[in-house]
Amino acid sequence: MKQVIFDTDIGIDDAMALLFLHYAPDVSIRAIVTGFGNASIEHTTRNALHMKERFDIDAPVYRGAAGPLGDALGEGYPDFVHGQNGLGDIDVPDPAGAPDKRNAAQAIVDIVRESPGQVSIVAVGRMTNVAEALTLEPELPALVGELIVMGGAFGFNGHRGNVSPVAEANIAGDPLAADIVFSCGMPTTIVGLDVTNETVMSAAYIDGLRDDAGAAGEFLHAISRYYLAFNQRSTGRFECSTHDPSAVAYLLNPDLFETRDAAVRVVSEGIAIGQTIWSAPNPNYFTTAWKDIPACKICTGVDSEALLDLYRGTLLLAMQ
Ligand code: BDR
Ligand code: CA
């Protein structure tokens, strides 16, 4: 059984990822930890509680970071992508429950201390909660089984940034936190735009989920209208990239991806703020910025068709 902490700024594609985790066999969600990002911390925490109650997800919700550790690119929240409430402005009733009293960073520390080496963190928002957990527990890299991050853009497969020519939203939203996390030696896999933009959910694919995956499919269809409309305004196509569910797909079946190992640093100021840059050792470089930084795994390729099949197959398990 894979034990998972889901660190999320729920968010339309975050909601898609959470249902993927929830219906995956052999996954136990130990915690849903929230952060600011696609919407305010109030909205993302509310969305987490709503999904927990709506889909009977047996995991506590911990409220996390309300803002970045350092400078970030841009201000406010991307309501033009995820809606004012983060879930495409569908009606989200007030949840009956409340988040746990512990904050997200402390919950991460407590859970991995309880089960050292056994817990995966799937982080699909800003890296702020994980960076704060590292401050609380410097041994965190040795305690976490693996960290799988949706974030970054390295230029593989021709994909560049989505909030600047070089920066991806999760990383640009707290570049300092991402730099701390990617440099700390935690076993980390980065699932960036290089692969998430390669896997596209068409309108027909999402219609199929609505028709065949019961309440989960209907919910995903409803929240995704806003997301697809945003994409249509940007690219002319009524479809969406598969961002956060790709991080879950890596957890469930890493063989769907090609990867390379490399030290990764994040630019934390200036016009390239939020850029993720990998480096191989090179004795001729004048810079020492990547020297002695433990390697992360970067996803460079993906079997998109198999990933979409895995997603649909898992959601359909909701019907059993
Ligand atoms: C990432 O940013 C957010 O909008 C999505 O939820 C995803 O985590 C994609 O750049
Ligand atoms: Ca997200």
Side-chain angles (χ1 to χ4, degrees), residues 20 23-25 212-213 310-320:
F20 197 9
Y23 291 113
D212 302 332
L310 176 65
Y311 187 83
R312 181 179 155 82
T314 306
L315 265 284
L316 262 51
L317 295 175
M319 300 303 292
Q320 289 180 1

Side-chain angles (χ1 to χ4, degrees), residues 14 42 44 97 113 180 198 235 245 297 312:
D14 303 70
E42 286 75 25
T44 61
R113 276 182 183 153
I180 291 169
E198 286 287 287
T235 68
K297 275 193 193 310
R312 181 179 155 82

Side-chain angles (χ1 to χ4, degrees), residues 19 25 38 51 89 115 179 186 269 299:
L19 290 177
N38 290 326
M51 287 195 66
D89 289 341
S115 313
D179 193 46
M186 203 177 288
E269 58 186 6
C299 291

